[in-house]
Amino acid sequence: MQLPPEHEELEIVDESNRVIGVRERAEIHRQGLWHRSVHIFIFNSRGEIYLQKRSPRKDQYPDHWDSSAAGHLIPGESPEIAAHRELGEELGIDTELIEAYRHPACQETGWEFVTFFVGRTDEAILLNLEEATEGRFFTATQLTDLLGDPDQKVAPGFRLLHRVTAFHLRKAAFKGLELQPSLDGLPPGPAAYPP
Protein backbone atom coordinates (compact mmCIF):
# COMPACT_ATOMS: atom_id res chain seq x y z
CA MET A 1 0.00 0.00 0.00
CA GLN A 2 1.37 3.40 -1.02
CA LEU A 3 1.77 5.99 1.73
CA PRO A 4 0.07 9.39 1.39
CA PRO A 5 2.57 11.92 -0.07
CA GLU A 6 3.07 13.72 3.24
CA HIS A 7 4.27 10.46 4.84
CA GLU A 8 6.71 9.53 2.08
CA GLU A 9 10.24 9.25 3.39
CA LEU A 10 12.91 11.33 1.68
CA GLU A 11 16.61 11.77 2.23
CA ILE A 12 17.74 14.92 3.98
CA VAL A 13 21.14 16.36 3.12
CA ASP A 14 23.71 18.78 4.50
CA GLU A 15 24.92 22.04 2.96
CA SER A 16 27.16 20.03 0.62
CA ASN A 17 24.25 17.85 -0.58
CA ARG A 18 25.50 14.78 1.31
CA VAL A 19 22.85 12.47 2.74
CA ILE A 20 22.59 12.70 6.52
CA GLY A 21 19.30 10.94 7.21
CA VAL A 22 15.73 10.18 6.21
CA ARG A 23 12.58 12.01 7.32
CA GLU A 24 8.92 12.22 6.33
CA ARG A 25 8.15 14.66 3.55
CA ALA A 26 5.73 16.72 5.67
CA GLU A 27 8.37 17.18 8.38
CA ILE A 28 11.01 18.13 5.80
CA HIS A 29 8.77 20.80 4.31
CA ARG A 30 7.56 22.05 7.69
CA GLN A 31 11.10 22.44 9.05
CA GLY A 32 12.67 23.66 5.79
CA LEU A 33 15.26 20.87 5.73
CA TRP A 34 17.58 20.47 2.74
CA HIS A 35 16.59 17.65 0.39
CA ARG A 36 16.80 16.67 -3.29
CA SER A 37 14.56 17.03 -6.32
CA VAL A 38 14.52 17.00 -10.09
CA HIS A 39 12.88 19.48 -12.45
CA ILE A 40 12.35 18.84 -16.15
CA PHE A 41 11.56 21.30 -18.93
CA ILE A 42 9.99 19.57 -21.94
CA PHE A 43 9.98 21.38 -25.29
CA ASN A 44 8.26 20.36 -28.51
CA SER A 45 9.82 20.63 -31.98
CA ARG A 46 8.46 24.18 -32.32
CA GLY A 47 10.44 25.27 -29.26
CA GLU A 48 7.36 25.62 -27.04
CA ILE A 49 7.67 24.66 -23.38
CA TYR A 50 5.15 22.46 -21.57
CA LEU A 51 3.97 23.68 -18.15
CA GLN A 52 1.53 22.14 -15.72
CA LYS A 53 -0.69 23.81 -13.15
CA ARG A 54 -0.31 22.17 -9.77
CA SER A 55 -3.30 20.52 -8.13
CA PRO A 56 -5.18 22.53 -5.46
CA ARG A 57 -4.44 19.59 -3.11
CA LYS A 58 -0.67 20.19 -3.22
CA ASP A 59 0.85 21.17 0.13
CA GLN A 60 3.15 23.70 -1.55
CA TYR A 61 2.09 26.18 -4.23
CA PRO A 62 -1.34 24.74 -5.06
CA ASP A 63 -2.87 26.07 -8.30
CA HIS A 64 0.50 27.49 -9.43
CA TRP A 65 2.03 26.99 -12.87
CA ASP A 66 5.23 24.96 -12.60
CA SER A 67 7.88 23.03 -14.53
CA SER A 68 6.88 20.40 -17.10
CA ALA A 69 7.50 17.75 -14.44
CA ALA A 70 9.23 17.72 -11.08
CA GLY A 71 9.53 15.62 -7.96
CA HIS A 72 11.58 14.39 -5.06
CA LEU A 73 14.16 11.64 -5.24
CA ILE A 74 13.26 8.36 -3.56
CA PRO A 75 15.99 7.34 -1.08
CA GLY A 76 18.88 5.78 -3.01
CA GLU A 77 17.52 6.91 -6.40
CA SER A 78 19.71 8.71 -8.95
CA PRO A 79 18.51 12.03 -10.39
CA GLU A 80 18.33 10.55 -13.89
CA ILE A 81 16.10 7.67 -12.77
CA ALA A 82 13.94 10.10 -10.78
CA ALA A 83 13.54 12.40 -13.80
CA HIS A 84 12.38 9.58 -16.07
CA ARG A 85 10.06 8.28 -13.33
CA GLU A 86 8.50 11.74 -12.88
CA LEU A 87 7.98 12.11 -16.64
CA GLY A 88 6.11 8.83 -16.68
CA GLU A 89 4.07 9.51 -13.54
CA GLU A 90 3.14 13.10 -14.34
CA LEU A 91 3.04 13.30 -18.16
CA GLY A 92 2.75 9.68 -19.32
CA ILE A 93 5.80 10.00 -21.59
CA ASP A 94 9.47 9.13 -21.74
CA THR A 95 12.09 10.83 -23.86
CA GLU A 96 15.81 11.44 -23.93
CA LEU A 97 16.83 13.85 -21.19
CA ILE A 98 19.97 15.92 -20.85
CA GLU A 99 21.15 16.93 -17.40
CA ALA A 100 21.78 20.62 -17.90
CA TYR A 101 22.91 21.85 -14.48
CA ARG A 102 22.46 21.49 -10.74
CA HIS A 103 21.08 24.31 -8.64
CA PRO A 104 21.87 24.70 -4.94
CA ALA A 105 19.13 24.62 -2.35
CA CYS A 106 17.56 27.99 -1.60
CA GLN A 107 14.26 29.43 -0.46
CA GLU A 108 12.87 29.62 -4.03
CA THR A 109 13.48 25.90 -4.59
CA GLY A 110 11.88 25.00 -1.23
CA TRP A 111 15.35 24.10 0.16
CA GLU A 112 15.77 21.48 -2.55
CA PHE A 113 19.05 20.75 -4.32
CA VAL A 114 17.65 20.61 -7.86
CA THR A 115 19.06 18.52 -10.68
CA PHE A 116 17.67 20.11 -13.82
CA PHE A 117 16.95 18.22 -17.05
CA VAL A 118 15.72 19.27 -20.47
CA GLY A 119 14.15 17.17 -23.19
CA ARG A 120 12.08 17.37 -26.33
CA THR A 121 9.04 15.44 -27.52
CA ASP A 122 6.06 15.69 -29.84
CA GLU A 123 4.35 12.72 -28.14
CA ALA A 124 0.85 13.19 -26.79
CA ILE A 125 1.04 14.12 -23.12
CA LEU A 126 -1.30 12.33 -20.71
CA LEU A 127 -1.40 14.69 -17.75
CA ASN A 128 -1.84 13.01 -14.36
CA LEU A 129 -4.88 14.79 -12.94
CA GLU A 130 -3.92 13.72 -9.40
CA GLU A 131 -0.85 15.95 -9.77
CA ALA A 132 -2.14 18.83 -11.89
CA THR A 133 -5.40 20.38 -13.08
CA GLU A 134 -4.15 21.45 -16.50
CA GLY A 135 -1.11 21.56 -18.70
CA ARG A 136 -0.15 22.87 -22.11
CA PHE A 137 2.65 24.03 -24.37
CA PHE A 138 3.46 27.74 -24.24
CA THR A 139 5.07 29.80 -26.99
CA ALA A 140 7.82 32.17 -25.86
CA THR A 141 5.37 35.09 -26.07
CA GLN A 142 2.71 33.25 -24.07
CA LEU A 143 5.30 32.36 -21.43
CA THR A 144 6.46 35.97 -21.18
CA ASP A 145 2.82 37.05 -20.76
CA LEU A 146 2.24 34.39 -18.08
CA LEU A 147 5.31 35.39 -16.10
CA GLY A 148 4.42 39.08 -16.34
CA ASP A 149 0.77 38.72 -15.35
CA PRO A 150 0.27 39.51 -11.64
CA ASP A 151 -3.03 37.61 -11.68
CA GLN A 152 -1.31 34.33 -12.64
CA LYS A 153 0.19 32.17 -9.90
CA VAL A 154 3.64 30.82 -10.84
CA ALA A 155 5.75 28.68 -8.50
CA PRO A 156 8.89 30.57 -7.39
CA GLY A 157 11.05 27.54 -8.16
CA PHE A 158 9.90 27.64 -11.79
CA ARG A 159 10.58 31.38 -12.02
CA LEU A 160 14.11 30.83 -10.71
CA LEU A 161 14.87 27.84 -12.93
CA HIS A 162 13.45 29.65 -15.96
CA ARG A 163 15.87 32.56 -15.41
CA VAL A 164 18.84 30.24 -14.90
CA THR A 165 17.85 28.11 -17.89
CA ALA A 166 17.61 31.18 -20.11
CA PHE A 167 21.20 31.94 -19.18
CA HIS A 168 22.33 28.39 -19.91
CA LEU A 169 20.47 28.38 -23.23
CA ARG A 170 22.36 31.49 -24.21
CA LYS A 171 25.59 29.72 -23.25
CA ALA A 172 24.62 27.00 -25.78
CA ALA A 173 24.42 24.31 -23.12
CA PHE A 174 21.52 22.73 -25.00
CA LYS A 175 22.61 23.23 -28.62
CA GLY A 176 22.49 19.48 -29.19
CA LEU A 177 18.71 19.62 -28.74
CA GLU A 178 18.36 22.52 -31.23
CA LEU A 179 16.27 24.56 -28.81
CA GLN A 180 17.30 27.96 -30.21
CA PRO A 181 13.64 28.96 -30.89
CA SER A 182 13.04 28.68 -27.14
CA LEU A 183 15.33 31.67 -26.59
CA ASP A 184 12.75 34.08 -27.98
CA GLY A 185 11.20 36.04 -25.15
CA LEU A 186 13.44 34.59 -22.43
CA PRO A 187 15.06 37.14 -20.14
CA PRO A 188 18.83 37.58 -20.20
CA GLY A 189 20.54 35.63 -17.46
CA PRO A 190 22.13 37.77 -14.76
CA ALA A 191 25.91 37.82 -14.69
CA ALA A 192 25.81 36.28 -11.21
CA TYR A 193 24.75 32.91 -12.61
CA PRO A 194 27.70 30.57 -13.14
CA PRO A 195 28.42 29.38 -16.70
Side-chain angles (χ1 to χ4, degrees):
M1 179 175 147
Q2 189 173 359
L3 291 170
E6 65 272 16
H7 295 300
E8 289 174 347
E9 292 198 329
L10 306 174
E11 292 171 336
I12 55 171
V13 297
D14 65 13
E15 66 276 4
S16 299
N17 197 14
R18 291 182 299 237
V19 177
I20 57 172
V22 175
R23 301 271 176 87
E24 283 192 351
R25 173 180 166 164
E27 180 184 358
I28 290 170
H29 286 172
R30 187 172 54 253
Q31 294 187 24
L33 302 174
W34 289 319
H35 56 297
R36 295 171 170 169
S37 72
V38 293
H39 277 253
I40 307 110
F41 284 6
I42 293 294
F43 295 89
N44 62 22
S45 59
R46 294 181 302 280
E48 298 167 338
I49 185 172
Y50 188 89
L51 301 183
Q52 62 170 281
K53 185 179 270 190
R54 296 167 63 84
S55 164
R57 295 184 300 278
K58 290 284 190 180
D59 62 337
Q60 294 189 315
Y61 305 108
D63 291 316
H64 282 59
W65 286 101
D66 205 352
S67 299
S68 308
H72 297 103
L73 275 67
I74 294 169
E77 187 177 42
S78 73
E80 182 177 9
I81 296 296
H84 284 282
R85 176 178 53 75
E86 291 294 341
L87 273 187
E89 289 176 3
E90 296 187 7
L91 306 183
I93 62 168
D94 195 19
T95 190
E96 179 185 358
L97 295 175
I98 293 175
E99 181 183 323
Y101 59 87
R102 295 186 179 204
H103 199 282
C106 62
Q107 186 172 358
E108 290 90 344
T109 67
W111 307 112
E112 296 171 356
F113 285 87
V114 177
T115 305
F116 178 82
F117 294 87
V118 64
R120 185 172 68 178
T121 190
D122 288 317
E123 288 181 56
I125 290 177
L126 304 171
L127 187 64
N128 180 345
L129 297 177
E130 294 292 316
E131 295 282 336
T133 56
E134 63 178 296
R136 64 184 174 93
F137 281 99
F138 285 77
T139 66
T141 300
Q142 290 168 337
L143 180 57
T144 299
D145 291 346
L146 174 76
L147 293 171
D149 185 345
D151 294 328
Q152 293 286 347
K153 295 187 220 174
V154 180
F158 172 73
R159 285 188 185 276
L160 172 67
L161 295 172
H162 173 260
R163 287 194 311 270
V164 176
T165 303
F167 176 72
H168 281 276
L169 279 166
R170 285 187 166 80
K171 296 288 282 186
F174 307 147
K175 77 178 173 185
L177 281 178
E178 300 173 5
L179 293 176
Q180 193 65 29
S182 307
L183 286 171
D184 299 335
L186 289 177
Y193 291 136

Short mmCIF file of all heavy atoms in Angstrom, two decimals, residues 146-179:
data_model
loop_
_atom_site.label_atom_id
_atom_site.label_comp_id
_atom_site.label_asym_id
_atom_site.label_seq_id
_atom_site.Cartn_x
_atom_site.Cartn_y
_atom_site.Cartn_z
N LEU A 146 2.57 35.08 -19.33
CA LEU A 146 2.24 34.39 -18.08
C LEU A 146 3.09 34.90 -16.93
O LEU A 146 2.58 35.22 -15.85
CB LEU A 146 2.45 32.87 -18.26
CG LEU A 146 2.28 32.02 -17.00
CD1 LEU A 146 0.81 31.86 -16.66
CD2 LEU A 146 2.93 30.66 -17.17
N LEU A 147 4.40 34.98 -17.17
CA LEU A 147 5.31 35.39 -16.10
C LEU A 147 5.13 36.85 -15.72
O LEU A 147 5.43 37.25 -14.59
CB LEU A 147 6.76 35.13 -16.53
CG LEU A 147 7.13 33.66 -16.69
CD1 LEU A 147 8.51 33.52 -17.32
CD2 LEU A 147 7.07 32.93 -15.35
N GLY A 148 4.61 37.66 -16.63
CA GLY A 148 4.42 39.08 -16.34
C GLY A 148 3.04 39.43 -15.82
O GLY A 148 2.80 40.58 -15.46
N ASP A 149 2.15 38.46 -15.76
CA ASP A 149 0.77 38.72 -15.35
C ASP A 149 0.63 38.55 -13.84
O ASP A 149 0.75 37.43 -13.33
CB ASP A 149 -0.18 37.76 -16.08
CG ASP A 149 -1.65 38.03 -15.80
OD1 ASP A 149 -1.96 38.76 -14.84
OD2 ASP A 149 -2.49 37.49 -16.55
N PRO A 150 0.37 39.62 -13.10
CA PRO A 150 0.27 39.51 -11.64
C PRO A 150 -0.91 38.67 -11.17
O PRO A 150 -0.96 38.25 -10.01
CB PRO A 150 0.14 40.96 -11.16
CG PRO A 150 -0.37 41.72 -12.35
CD PRO A 150 0.14 41.00 -13.57
N ASP A 151 -1.88 38.42 -12.06
CA ASP A 151 -3.03 37.61 -11.68
C ASP A 151 -2.77 36.11 -11.83
O ASP A 151 -3.58 35.29 -11.40
CB ASP A 151 -4.26 37.99 -12.52
CG ASP A 151 -4.74 39.40 -12.22
OD1 ASP A 151 -4.58 39.84 -11.05
OD2 ASP A 151 -5.24 40.06 -13.15
N GLN A 152 -1.66 35.75 -12.46
CA GLN A 152 -1.31 34.33 -12.64
C GLN A 152 -0.38 33.88 -11.51
O GLN A 152 0.57 34.59 -11.17
CB GLN A 152 -0.63 34.11 -13.99
CG GLN A 152 -1.52 34.33 -15.17
CD GLN A 152 -2.52 33.19 -15.35
OE1 GLN A 152 -2.41 32.13 -14.75
NE2 GLN A 152 -3.52 33.44 -16.19
N LYS A 153 -0.67 32.73 -10.95
CA LYS A 153 0.19 32.17 -9.90
C LYS A 153 1.24 31.29 -10.56
O LYS A 153 0.90 30.36 -11.30
CB LYS A 153 -0.63 31.33 -8.92
CG LYS A 153 -1.64 32.11 -8.13
CD LYS A 153 -2.25 31.21 -7.08
CE LYS A 153 -3.73 31.45 -6.94
NZ LYS A 153 -4.35 30.49 -6.03
N VAL A 154 2.52 31.58 -10.28
CA VAL A 154 3.64 30.82 -10.84
C VAL A 154 4.55 30.44 -9.68
O VAL A 154 4.95 31.29 -8.88
CB VAL A 154 4.41 31.65 -11.89
CG1 VAL A 154 5.58 30.84 -12.45
CG2 VAL A 154 3.48 32.11 -13.02
N ALA A 155 4.89 29.16 -9.58
CA ALA A 155 5.75 28.68 -8.50
C ALA A 155 7.11 29.38 -8.55
O ALA A 155 7.70 29.51 -9.62
CB ALA A 155 5.93 27.17 -8.60
N PRO A 156 7.61 29.86 -7.40
CA PRO A 156 8.89 30.57 -7.39
C PRO A 156 10.05 29.72 -7.88
O PRO A 156 10.98 30.24 -8.49
CB PRO A 156 9.08 30.99 -5.93
CG PRO A 156 8.10 30.20 -5.15
CD PRO A 156 6.99 29.82 -6.06
N GLY A 157 9.99 28.41 -7.65
CA GLY A 157 11.05 27.54 -8.16
C GLY A 157 11.10 27.55 -9.67
O GLY A 157 12.18 27.56 -10.27
N PHE A 158 9.92 27.57 -10.33
CA PHE A 158 9.90 27.64 -11.79
C PHE A 158 10.45 28.98 -12.27
O PHE A 158 11.23 29.04 -13.22
CB PHE A 158 8.50 27.42 -12.35
CG PHE A 158 8.44 27.67 -13.83
CD1 PHE A 158 9.00 26.77 -14.71
CD2 PHE A 158 7.88 28.84 -14.33
CE1 PHE A 158 8.99 27.01 -16.08
CE2 PHE A 158 7.87 29.10 -15.69
CZ PHE A 158 8.43 28.18 -16.57
N ARG A 159 10.05 30.06 -11.62
CA ARG A 159 10.58 31.38 -12.02
C ARG A 159 12.11 31.39 -11.97
O ARG A 159 12.78 31.87 -12.89
CB ARG A 159 10.03 32.48 -11.12
CG ARG A 159 8.59 32.85 -11.39
CD ARG A 159 8.19 34.10 -10.57
NE ARG A 159 6.78 34.39 -10.73
CZ ARG A 159 6.26 35.09 -11.72
NH1 ARG A 159 7.05 35.56 -12.68
NH2 ARG A 159 4.97 35.33 -11.78
N LEU A 160 12.65 30.86 -10.87
CA LEU A 160 14.11 30.83 -10.71
C LEU A 160 14.76 29.97 -11.79
O LEU A 160 15.70 30.39 -12.46
CB LEU A 160 14.45 30.30 -9.32
CG LEU A 160 15.94 30.03 -9.07
CD1 LEU A 160 16.73 31.33 -9.07
CD2 LEU A 160 16.13 29.28 -7.76
N LEU A 161 14.26 28.74 -11.96
CA LEU A 161 14.87 27.84 -12.93
C LEU A 161 14.72 28.36 -14.36
O LEU A 161 15.61 28.16 -15.19
CB LEU A 161 14.27 26.44 -12.79
CG LEU A 161 14.56 25.75 -11.45
CD1 LEU A 161 13.77 24.45 -11.34
CD2 LEU A 161 16.04 25.50 -11.26
N HIS A 162 13.64 29.04 -14.64
CA HIS A 162 13.45 29.65 -15.96
C HIS A 162 14.53 30.69 -16.23
O HIS A 162 15.13 30.72 -17.30
CB HIS A 162 12.06 30.28 -16.03
CG HIS A 162 11.83 31.07 -17.27
ND1 HIS A 162 11.92 32.44 -17.30
CD2 HIS A 162 11.53 30.69 -18.53
CE1 HIS A 162 11.69 32.88 -18.51
NE2 HIS A 162 11.45 31.84 -19.28
N ARG A 163 14.82 31.55 -15.23
CA ARG A 163 15.87 32.56 -15.41
C ARG A 163 17.23 31.91 -15.61
O ARG A 163 18.00 32.30 -16.49
CB ARG A 163 15.92 33.49 -14.18
CG ARG A 163 14.77 34.45 -14.08
CD ARG A 163 15.05 35.56 -13.08
NE ARG A 163 15.53 35.11 -11.79
CZ ARG A 163 14.75 34.81 -10.75
NH1 ARG A 163 13.44 34.90 -10.86
NH2 ARG A 163 15.28 34.43 -9.62
N VAL A 164 17.54 30.91 -14.79
CA VAL A 164 18.84 30.24 -14.90
C VAL A 164 18.94 29.50 -16.23
O VAL A 164 19.98 29.53 -16.90
CB VAL A 164 19.05 29.27 -13.71
CG1 VAL A 164 20.34 28.50 -13.87
CG2 VAL A 164 19.05 30.03 -12.40
N THR A 165 17.85 28.85 -16.64
CA THR A 165 17.85 28.11 -17.89
C THR A 165 18.04 29.04 -19.08
O THR A 165 18.77 28.71 -20.03
CB THR A 165 16.54 27.32 -18.05
OG1 THR A 165 16.41 26.45 -16.93
CG2 THR A 165 16.55 26.47 -19.31
N ALA A 166 17.43 30.21 -19.03
CA ALA A 166 17.61 31.18 -20.11
C ALA A 166 19.09 31.51 -20.26
O ALA A 166 19.62 31.59 -21.38
CB ALA A 166 16.81 32.44 -19.82
N PHE A 167 19.77 31.66 -19.15
CA PHE A 167 21.20 31.94 -19.18
C PHE A 167 21.96 30.78 -19.80
O PHE A 167 22.80 30.97 -20.68
CB PHE A 167 21.71 32.23 -17.76
CG PHE A 167 23.18 32.44 -17.69
CD1 PHE A 167 23.74 33.61 -18.19
CD2 PHE A 167 24.01 31.50 -17.12
CE1 PHE A 167 25.11 33.82 -18.12
CE2 PHE A 167 25.38 31.70 -17.05
CZ PHE A 167 25.93 32.87 -17.54
N HIS A 168 21.64 29.57 -19.37
CA HIS A 168 22.33 28.39 -19.91
C HIS A 168 22.02 28.19 -21.40
O HIS A 168 22.89 27.76 -22.16
CB HIS A 168 21.97 27.14 -19.11
CG HIS A 168 22.71 27.05 -17.82
ND1 HIS A 168 23.97 26.53 -17.71
CD2 HIS A 168 22.36 27.44 -16.56
CE1 HIS A 168 24.38 26.58 -16.46
NE2 HIS A 168 23.42 27.13 -15.74
N LEU A 169 20.79 28.48 -21.81
CA LEU A 169 20.47 28.38 -23.23
C LEU A 169 21.35 29.33 -24.03
O LEU A 169 21.87 28.98 -25.09
CB LEU A 169 18.99 28.71 -23.47
CG LEU A 169 18.00 27.58 -23.21
CD1 LEU A 169 16.59 28.14 -23.15
CD2 LEU A 169 18.10 26.51 -24.27
N ARG A 170 21.52 30.52 -23.51
CA ARG A 170 22.36 31.49 -24.21
C ARG A 170 23.83 31.05 -24.22
O ARG A 170 24.59 31.47 -25.09
CB ARG A 170 22.20 32.87 -23.59
CG ARG A 170 20.88 33.49 -23.98
CD ARG A 170 20.75 34.92 -23.53
NE ARG A 170 19.61 35.52 -24.23
CZ ARG A 170 18.35 35.35 -23.88
NH1 ARG A 170 18.05 34.61 -22.84
NH2 ARG A 170 17.38 35.91 -24.56
N LYS A 171 24.22 30.24 -23.28
CA LYS A 171 25.59 29.72 -23.25
C LYS A 171 25.71 28.46 -24.12
O LYS A 171 26.72 27.77 -24.10
CB LYS A 171 26.00 29.38 -21.81
CG LYS A 171 26.06 30.58 -20.89
CD LYS A 171 27.24 31.46 -21.18
CE LYS A 171 28.49 30.83 -20.58
NZ LYS A 171 29.65 31.68 -20.68
N ALA A 172 24.64 28.12 -24.84
CA ALA A 172 24.62 27.00 -25.78
C ALA A 172 24.77 25.65 -25.10
O ALA A 172 25.23 24.69 -25.70
CB ALA A 172 25.70 27.17 -26.85
N ALA A 173 24.34 25.58 -23.84
CA ALA A 173 24.42 24.31 -23.12
C ALA A 173 23.54 23.25 -23.76
O ALA A 173 23.78 22.06 -23.62
CB ALA A 173 24.03 24.50 -21.66
N PHE A 174 22.48 23.69 -24.46
CA PHE A 174 21.52 22.73 -25.00
C PHE A 174 21.56 22.67 -26.52
O PHE A 174 20.62 22.24 -27.15
CB PHE A 174 20.09 23.11 -24.60
CG PHE A 174 19.89 23.29 -23.12
CD1 PHE A 174 18.99 24.22 -22.67
CD2 PHE A 174 20.58 22.55 -22.20
CE1 PHE A 174 18.78 24.42 -21.30
CE2 PHE A 174 20.39 22.72 -20.85
CZ PHE A 174 19.49 23.66 -20.40
N LYS A 175 22.65 23.12 -27.16
CA LYS A 175 22.61 23.23 -28.62
C LYS A 175 22.40 21.88 -29.29
O LYS A 175 21.87 21.82 -30.40
CB LYS A 175 23.85 23.93 -29.16
CG LYS A 175 25.11 23.09 -29.21
CD LYS A 175 26.23 23.90 -29.81
CE LYS A 175 27.52 23.12 -29.70
NZ LYS A 175 28.66 23.87 -30.16
N GLY A 176 22.73 20.80 -28.62
CA GLY A 176 22.49 19.48 -29.19
C GLY A 176 21.02 19.17 -29.37
O GLY A 176 20.65 18.33 -30.17
N LEU A 177 20.15 19.85 -28.61
CA LEU A 177 18.71 19.62 -28.74
C LEU A 177 18.06 20.61 -29.70
O LEU A 177 16.86 20.57 -29.91
CB LEU A 177 18.03 19.75 -27.37
CG LEU A 177 18.15 18.53 -26.47
CD1 LEU A 177 17.46 18.80 -25.14
CD2 LEU A 177 17.55 17.30 -27.11
N GLU A 178 18.87 21.53 -30.27
CA GLU A 178 18.36 22.52 -31.23
C GLU A 178 17.16 23.28 -30.66
O GLU A 178 16.11 23.37 -31.27
CB GLU A 178 18.00 21.84 -32.55
CG GLU A 178 19.20 21.16 -33.19
CD GLU A 178 18.83 20.33 -34.41
OE1 GLU A 178 17.66 20.35 -34.83
OE2 GLU A 178 19.72 19.66 -34.93
N LEU A 179 17.36 23.84 -29.49
CA LEU A 179 16.27 24.56 -28.81
C LEU A 179 16.37 26.07 -29.00
O LEU A 179 15.78 26.82 -28.24
CB LEU A 179 16.27 24.22 -27.32
CG LEU A 179 15.92 22.78 -27.00
CD1 LEU A 179 16.05 22.54 -25.51
CD2 LEU A 179 14.51 22.45 -27.45
#
